C-alpha cells in the first residue's frame, strides 16, 4: 500500500485545515487507517484512527472534540478535519494503514511521507 498525504499548511490559531491521505495499491474499503503527528524534538504520536469497515473511530485526548477522521472508500482516501487549531498542533502529520485493522491499531505497516501543519498564535 502506498500512501500520499496532503493538505498541510500555515493557519492561524482557531482556524481549520483538512488533511487528505490517498491510498493506492489496495482498496481503502479493506484498510484501517490513522493519523499520527510528530512535533520537532518529540516522538511520533497517534492522534486518530478509523477501522477498516469505518464503523469505529478513536482519538487521542489532545484532539478529541476538535479533529474528525473519515474515510471515503470511493476515493480511496482518508481525511482529517482539524478545527479550533492551537499552536501545539504544529507538527508533521503522517497517515498510516494496515489491512483489516481496527481503530487505534498498534501495528500499522504502511506510512505516508508526512505533511507539515503550522499553527501561528
Amino acid at each position: 500500500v502506498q500512501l500520499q498525504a496532503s493538505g498541510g499548511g500555515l493557519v492561524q490559531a482557531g482556524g481549520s485545515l483538512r488533511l487528505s491521505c490517498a491510498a493506492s495499491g489496495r482498496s481503502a474499503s479493506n484498510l484501517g487507517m490513522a493519523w499520527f503527528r510528530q512535533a520537532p524534538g518529540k516522538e511520533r504520536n497517534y492522534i486518530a484512527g478509523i477501522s477498516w469497515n469505518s464503523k469505529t473511530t478513536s482519538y487521542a485526548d489532545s484532539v478529541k472534540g476538535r479533529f474528525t477522521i473519515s474515510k471515503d472508500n470511493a476515493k480511496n482516501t482518508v481525511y482529517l478535519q482539524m478545527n479550533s487549531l492551537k499552536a501545539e498542533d504544529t507538527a508533521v502529520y503522517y497517515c498510516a494503514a494496515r489491512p483489516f485493522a481496527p481503530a487505534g491499531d498498534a501495528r500499522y505497516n504502511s506510512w505516508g511521507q508526512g505533511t507539515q501543519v503550522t499553527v501561528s498564535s
Side-chain angles (χ1 to χ4, degrees):
V1 178
Q2 291 78 46
L3 303 174
Q4 180 72 42
S6 61
L10 174 64
V11 63
Q12 288 188 333
S16 298
L17 275 178
R18 189 178 78 158
L19 305 183
S20 301
C21 177
S24 59
R26 190 180 185 110
S27 172
S29 63
N30 295 331
L31 291 174
M33 302 184 77
W35 290 93
F36 290 71
R37 68 186 181 189
Q38 186 169 21
K42 296 188 177 181
E43 295 182 346
R44 186 179 302 187
N45 292 320
Y46 171 88
I47 55 171
I50 187 166
S51 62
W52 68 273
N53 57 8
S54 299
K55 288 187 177 181
T56 58
T57 58
S58 68
Y59 298 91
D61 287 344
S62 59
V63 306
K64 200 171 293 183
R66 300 188 298 123
F67 291 10
T68 302
I69 188 171
S70 60
K71 185 157 66 86
D72 185 335
N73 292 331
K75 296 183 178 179
N76 246 33
T77 299
V78 66
Y79 301 99
L80 185 68
Q81 178 66 44
M82 305 186 294
N83 299 328
S84 302
L85 283 161
K86 306 175 182 180
E88 51 263 44
D89 294 318
T90 295
V92 177
Y93 284 70
Y94 298 89
C95 56
R98 187 174 76 84
F100 301 108
D105 189 58
R107 298 171 294 168
Y108 295 107
N109 54 12
S110 296
W111 293 85
Q113 85 289 1
T115 185
Q116 176 70 47
V117 172
T118 302
V119 183
S120 62
S121 56

